[in-house]
Amino acid sequence: MTKNKNDNFIHLASPDIQEEDISNVIRVLRSGMLVQGLEVEKLEHQLSTYLGIQHSIMVSNGTATLHLILIALGIGPGDEVIIPAFSYMATANVVELVGAKPIFVDIESDSFNIDKNLIKGKISPATKAVMIVHEFGLAADMHEIKSICDTHGLFLIEDAACALGAKEHQKYAGTIGIAGSFSFHPRKAITSGEGGAIVTNDAVLAAKLRALRNHGIDSENKESKMDFIYAGFNYRMTDFQAALLSNQLKRIESIIEKKQEIARKYMAEISNPLVLLPSFRNNKFHAWQTFHVLLHKAVNQADAIKYFKDKGIGVNYGAQCMPAQTFFKNKYICDSEVEFPNAYKAFTQGLALPIYEKLTAEQIHRIIHTVNQFKINDL
Ligand SMILES: *Cc1c(COP(=O)(O)O)cnc(C)c1O
């Protein structure tokens, strides 16, 4: 039996799928209406109401959302898109996939979000957009970043893949820029297996996104004549995925509350000189997709991950220093350790701890105890 089969093993993430979610899926399966239809439409209204936004467009995954947004905004070859150096790789990949150039910006060492003070220096005549990431469920400094984008005439795109329900100054992450993107991968707060959503208050952009999602079909066509107005994709969500998500979305606030409760406990009770806790400002409502700490530089990250797994706790590094990955390193030749020191440090010394609804008090205690006890000589 491998360690991970151990019943006591605490996984890094574990979705909370309840009986009512399952019966919703079964109901849709029995109906025989499987692809995008009424369930997706209902979910779009539900998400728009929750976030207080005009338009929600459900799509097949969080990477497809970002890809569609860039295409719909006409971003392509010759254009530059400013992004944080630290995120999940999808953020940089989609910029490449539309033929534009990602311009990486270092992050803040404590919030893990893009350092707003470094953005201006990266703007060039080719810059079309700033695509920020609300890393680990913490909103970036949107107030200041939006004002930079407005001053320079740049699109502000929000990769809110892991920040559903997060807020800055009472505004939901994803609703501040021209368009926001969410993911419903099982690592996020609520899940449809694979799934994503784009939100926007721009009606013209929303119509274009809807058409691009569905082969380029003009969904607004008044004479209901089928006409293809773009070379589009099939980035649709299925109706049974929408049905799986619907009740989870109703529970989102209690899910976040539970995560915040765990985070407060971690912040209050984790105490080990080898572990640096995250920090965030008071104007932010943290959705805690990930609880991410920094290991002391004397700790080897891989050894620490193995140590925790051997103790029955699933931890992992949190996200990538994207310019340090082989594809980007080879294409844009840079020394990430020098150019993006905070992103590099977060990538090489970061550690994500389990934080989800289903964790029991005993499991939370075990996690805290294990983090507090470990010493360099144990690894
Ligand atoms: C999860 C994630 C994505 C990708 O979402 P998928 O649904 O897995 O395609 C993109 N960006 C960030 C910041 C993410 O956390």
Side-chain angles (χ1 to χ4, degrees), residues 61-63 66 87-88 90-91 133 159 161-162 183-185 188 194-195:
N61 60 68
T63 306
L66 298 171
S87 177
Y88 186 61
T91 312
V133 177
D159 181 351
C162 45
S183 164
F184 304 114
H185 181 273
K188 322 295 177 175
E194 302 283 1

Side-chain angles (χ1 to χ4, degrees), residues 36-44 58 237-239 242:
Q36 182 192 306
L38 273 181
E39 295 292 327
V40 167
E41 205 180 311
K42 267 182 3 204
L43 185 64
E44 288 176 343
M58 309 303 302
M237 176 183 269
T238 65
D239 253 17

Side-chain angles (χ1 to χ4, degrees), residues 16 23 52 81 119 121 202 207 221 238 268 310 315 340 363 365-366:
D16 187 21
S23 44
V81 179
I119 293 176
D202 185 319
N221 191 305
T238 65
D310 286 347
V315 298
F340 313 105
Q363 289 176 316
H365 177 79
R366 245 175 73 204

Side-chain angles (χ1 to χ4, degrees), residues 33 58 116 133 174 187-188 198 227 283 311 325 336:
M33 310 290 276
M58 309 303 302
K116 60 180 179 294
V133 177
R187 277 289 304 274
K188 322 295 177 175
I198 306 168
D227 190 15
N283 60 355
K311 296 268 177 198
Q325 301 303 311
S336 289

Side-chain angles (χ1 to χ4, degrees), residues 13 28-29 50 115 125 141 172-173 182 203 207 214 235 260 268 279 285 312 326 330 334 341 343 353 360 363 367 373:
V28 173
L29 292 178
Y50 168 56
D115 186 339
D141 290 333
Y172 280 111
F182 298 98
N214 190 18
Y235 275 170
Q260 289 181 335
S279 94
F285 181 84
T326 298
N330 289 346
C334 70
L353 305 180
T360 63
Q363 289 176 316
I367 293 164
Q373 292 298 307

Side-chain angles (χ1 to χ4, degrees), residues 154-266:
L154 307 175
F155 291 124
L156 174 57
I157 303 167
E158 295 177 72
D159 181 351
C162 45
L164 181 65
K167 286 183 247 182
E168 190 216 25
H169 293 301
Q170 302 308 315
K171 289 209 82 172
Y172 280 111
T175 67
I176 299 155
I178 178 86
S181 150
F182 298 98
S183 164
F184 304 114
H185 181 273
R187 277 289 304 274
K188 322 295 177 175
I190 60 174
T191 183
S192 50
E194 302 283 1
I198 306 168
V199 297
T200 180
N201 278 319
D202 185 319
V204 175
L205 181 64
K208 189 168 183 184
L209 288 163
R210 285 183 200 286
L212 284 168
R213 162 181 70 174
N214 190 18
H215 302 289
I217 296 174
D218 181 8
S219 56
E220 315 265 294
N221 191 305
K222 295 290 175 289
E223 295 128 48
S224 48
K225 207 175 72 200
M226 170 125 28
D227 190 15
F228 294 81
I229 51 175
Y230 305 108
F233 302 83
N234 175 356
Y235 275 170
R236 296 179 308 240
M237 176 183 269
T238 65
D239 253 17
F240 52 95
Q241 286 172 307
L244 177 58
L245 212 45
S246 174
N247 272 306
Q248 293 179 67
L249 181 55
K250 285 184 193 149
R251 298 198 299 270
I252 183 74
E253 281 172 358
S254 73
I255 292 172
I256 294 174
E257 243 168 67
K258 181 73 204 288
K259 283 166 167 263
Q260 289 181 335
E261 200 181 295
I262 299 169
R264 273 195 298 273
K265 227 170 150 49
Y266 285 166

Side-chain angles (χ1 to χ4, degrees), residues 119-181:
I119 293 176
K120 268 188 210 154
K122 298 277 184 152
I123 296 173
S124 83
T127 311
K128 283 285 157 23
V130 175
M131 186 156 80
I132 61 91
V133 177
H134 303 296
E135 194 57 60
F136 301 141
L138 177 66
D141 290 333
M142 294 308 286
H143 192 72
E144 292 89 343
I145 295 170
K146 184 165 189 319
S147 120
I148 295 171
C149 289
D150 289 348
T151 305
H152 294 267
L154 307 175
F155 291 124
L156 174 57
I157 303 167
E158 295 177 72
D159 181 351
C162 45
L164 181 65
K167 286 183 247 182
E168 190 216 25
H169 293 301
Q170 302 308 315
K171 289 209 82 172
Y172 280 111
T175 67
I176 299 155
I178 178 86
S181 150

